[in-house]
Amino acid sequence: MKKTIFLLIIFFNPLAWAKVDLKKVDQFIQSVAAEIEVEPQWIRNILAQANHQQSIIDAMNRPAEKTLKWFEYRKIFITDKRAQEGVEFWEQHEAVLNEVSAQSGVPAEIIVAIIGVETFYGRIKGNHKVLDALYTLAFDYPKRSPFFTSELKHFLQLAQENHIDPLSAKGSYAGAMGFGQFMPSSYRAYAVDYESDQVIDLINNPQDAIASVANYLNKHKWQPGGQVLSTTEKPSVAMKFNQLKPHMKDHKTQEHYTVLELDLENGEKQYWQGFQNFYVISRYNHSHMYVSAVYELSQNIKALRAEGSAQ
């Protein structure tokens, strides 16, 4: 039986249809309405409020992970302020972090650092309307249209499931939401109702966000007690650097690893070995620099917290 959801009548918004193929939009509406069992007009009314945003496409074409070198990227996230506020976030949510870490096997400092890199502990969650971002990228970003079309469908499902307001939810230019910047599909697959109050809120509830980040890493096969990164010397043999999946084997430890080559400000290179947990964090963001920043920030937060406890 199809579910009918009442929505106030929305006037047609001509900006919603700029630079898109209306036939594809209509096909999407009909297909998704049948799949998630809602009236097509419900979807049509929501999409009528979407605005095509060229700035979103521009941002997609120049992500920091692809335009900056490591020393430039690092300066954004590895700061005293971000480490200090990480300690404060940890102390504020210590009980939740302790419980979630014990259950998932993911260290508290890793969870805190991911939220710190993603949104500065919830301070910078993004100012783009998620509907605008996903609509623009689904219908006017051909090279990744299938991915964002799927995310738009999941976004509508989140609205149907009453987890978000589709007309007001804000996030990144790619449509990621909340403290941990979950894409709609990840929101639906990995979000956790920490308080068991029948409401999963990753946008405004840091406790749900903490539990969900840990669950995401756990479901992607985090190894409790395993290494993320360790320093190493420049390899003596030619190889491809900065691959995400560990593909070489240490015959002494039997661990698989990958090797990172990171550019330093003085023109020199820094080398790291990345292990299984490095790869797990990269499932969150497919960038070796992102994982490196998360790990370094996590260690800075952990050390600063320990220093404060010792005083």
Side-chain angles (χ1 to χ4, degrees):
M1 179 178 178
K2 288 192 174 183
K3 185 186 294 184
T4 302
I5 302 178
F6 177 77
L7 197 74
L8 291 175
I9 296 174
I10 300 170
F11 290 106
F12 177 74
N13 179 1
L15 290 177
W17 310 104
K19 292 190 177 182
V20 301
D21 185 334
L22 297 185
K23 290 183 179 179
K24 289 184 178 180
V25 175
D26 191 62
Q27 289 171 356
F28 171 84
I29 291 169
Q30 298 300 328
S31 173
V32 173
E35 182 177 346
I36 70 176
E37 299 187 325
V38 298
E39 294 296 331
Q41 191 60 40
W42 178 73
I43 299 177
R44 196 176 302 280
N45 287 342
I46 292 175
L47 294 188
Q49 294 300 291
N51 289 315
H52 177 279
Q53 301 281 1
Q54 181 61 41
S55 62
I56 288 171
I57 295 174
D58 295 341
M60 285 294 295
N61 287 330
R62 56 171 191 274
E65 291 86 354
K66 292 184 179 180
T67 60
L68 301 180
K69 293 186 175 182
W70 164 243
F71 68 87
E72 297 169 320
Y73 185 84
R74 181 183 180 276
K75 288 179 181 178
I76 299 172
F77 302 106
I78 310 304
T79 66
D80 292 342
K81 183 176 179 64
R82 204 175 293 250
Q84 181 58 52
E85 293 198 17
V87 172
E88 294 169 7
F89 183 86
W90 191 337
E91 292 176 348
Q92 183 180 0
H93 302 288
E94 182 174 9
V96 179
L97 283 160
N98 288 344
E99 181 180 352
V100 165
S101 180
Q103 291 175 349
S104 66
V106 181
E109 64 268 19
I110 295 291
I111 301 170
V112 173
I114 285 178
I115 294 174
V117 168
E118 291 290 346
T119 62
F120 216 132
Y121 315 105
R123 183 190 303 170
I124 307 171
K125 299 175 189 172
N127 292 316
H128 294 279
K129 287 183 64 176
V130 175
L131 178 61
D132 289 353
L134 296 177
Y135 176 86
T136 299
L137 296 170
F139 299 117
D140 190 28
Y141 196 62
K143 64 182 178 181
R144 296 195 66 191
S145 176
F147 172 77
F148 286 107
T149 299
S150 176
E151 291 298 330
L152 180 57
K153 181 195 74 172
H154 282 290
F155 182 70
L156 293 168
Q157 288 178 283
L158 283 172
Q160 181 197 25
E161 295 159 356
N162 297 316
H163 291 311
I164 59 167
D165 177 353
L167 302 183
S168 66
K170 290 187 177 182
S172 75
Y173 62 79
M177 295 172 283
F179 281 83
Q181 294 291 276
F182 273 40
M183 293 298 291
S185 60
S186 293
Y187 200 129
R188 297 189 67 240
Y190 303 108
V192 173
D193 178 9
Y194 176 78
E195 301 98 335
S196 299
D197 60 358
Q198 308 305 309
V199 178
I200 303 178
D201 181 5
L202 303 189
I203 297 176
N204 300 302
N205 186 334
Q207 297 187 115
D208 283 358
I210 288 167
S212 299
V213 169
N215 185 53
Y216 186 98
L217 298 179
N218 176 269
K219 295 301 184 184
H220 283 83
K221 300 183 179 180
W222 180 271
Q223 293 182 344
Q227 295 186 85
V228 177
L229 287 165
S230 70
T231 58
T232 188
E233 299 295 325
K234 180 180 180 178
S236 58
V237 296
M239 64 174 62
K240 289 185 178 180
F241 296 115
N242 303 331
Q243 297 187 65
L244 299 178
K245 193 172 182 62
H247 57 285
M248 293 176 285
K249 188 174 183 178
D250 186 316
H251 294 292
K252 291 183 179 179
T253 65
Q254 299 300 303
E255 284 190 280
H256 286 83
Y257 65 92
T258 185
V259 178
L260 310 185
E261 182 183 70
L262 302 174
D263 293 302
L264 301 181
E265 196 163 6
N266 59 8
E268 295 182 358
K269 306 285 187 182
Q270 183 179 48
Y271 295 90
W272 292 80
Q273 285 183 321
F275 302 94
Q276 168 64 17
N277 287 341
F278 165 86
Y279 180 68
V280 172
I281 297 174
S282 79
R283 300 306 83 203
Y284 210 98
N285 182 314
H286 299 179
S287 163
H288 69 281
M289 291 198 297
Y290 172 86
V291 183
S292 301
V294 165
Y295 180 70
E296 186 171 353
L297 179 61
S298 77
Q299 299 310 291
N300 291 354
I301 292 170
K302 183 179 179 180
L304 188 60
R305 186 169 185 268
E307 181 182 314
S309 299
Q311 293 178 352

